[in-house]
Structures are given as structure tokens and as C-alpha cells.
Amino acid sequence: MPIARILLAEDSPTTRSMVVSALELIGDIEVVPTSSGFEALKTLPRFKFDLIITDVNMPDINGLELVSFVKHNPMYRHIPVIIITSETGEKDEARGRALGAAEYVHKPLNPDTLQQVIRRYIRVD
């Protein structure tokens, strides 16, 4: 049984693969990758998640809409959400944080930086 389960919503197969690889190096973490916000919403009730990582720009439901759904739902609002994005605007980051995102990580992703951010929310010995 993994010590933590993370829901990943990222439409780019390359970025999704890089994030999964970086997280697997942390330890016994199960990453459940999804390729869109809509797929993430369908996956959310199927497992107990300890953390959600989402891209902002995705087809159908974007990352900010996903954050809003999670933070307005009593069943999920306790789950920290980390946004990964290529957007660099302060307004976008402020909007994500106002919706309840715990962290913003900018692309291109550095695996070490991503792991440090994840360790703030997932206790790994």
C-alpha cells in the first residue's frame, strides 16, 4: 500500500511522464495520471487522494476550474492542490491561490524543485 496517492491532471504526455517519474523517485507514492480536467473529475471519487497536481491549460475543464471544484466540495476541499503552469502572469497565480491552490510551480519543471514542493505536503521518511 502506498504512503500517499496523488492525482495528476496534465494533458501533455511528456510533462505527465516527467512528473510521474519525478514523484516515483520520492518513495512509495502512487500517482494516478489523467490527461484532462474532466478525466480528473471522473477519477477523483474512485480513490482517496492525498494531493492533487494540475496543469492550468487543458482542454475541457482547465486547472483553475478543477481547483474551484475541489475547494468547493466538502469531500475534497482538504486535499492540497498544486498548480503546474507555463503561465507567468501574477494575475493567474493570484487567481489560482484565491481559488485555494496551495502552490504554483512554473514550467519548465525542475524535478528537484517539484520533489521539494511535494515533500511539503506528503510525509516521506
Side-chain angles (χ1 to χ4, degrees), residues 31-112:
V31 181
V32 179
T34 60
S35 61
S36 71
F38 184 69
E39 186 180 353
L41 286 179
K42 289 190 332 187
T43 304
L44 194 55
R46 296 178 48 214
F47 302 97
K48 178 186 175 297
F49 289 101
D50 301 293
L51 185 69
I52 297 171
I53 301 173
T54 182
D55 186 15
V56 171
N57 296 317
M58 295 185 290
D60 58 55
I61 298 168
N62 71 38
L64 296 177
E65 292 168 324
L66 179 60
V67 172
S68 180
F69 174 82
V70 167
K71 294 304 175 183
H72 285 94
N73 188 313
M75 292 179 57
Y76 309 120
R77 72 172 52 140
H78 67 282
I79 303 173
V81 179
I82 296 172
I83 292 177
I84 54 175
T85 184
S86 57
E87 302 292 330
T88 57
E90 291 179 15
K91 286 184 180 179
D92 291 328
E93 184 169 340
R95 182 168 175 231
R97 289 190 184 276
L99 289 171
E103 300 275 351
Y104 246 78
V105 179
H106 295 276
K107 296 178 183 176
L109 295 174
N110 175 311
D112 292 335

Side-chain angles (χ1 to χ4, degrees), residues 1-5 26-30 50 122-125:
M1 184 170 174
I3 58 171
R5 182 175 291 126
I26 293 176
D28 193 15
I29 293 175
E30 179 184 357
D50 301 293
I122 302 295
R123 181 145 185 96
V124 181
D125 295 326

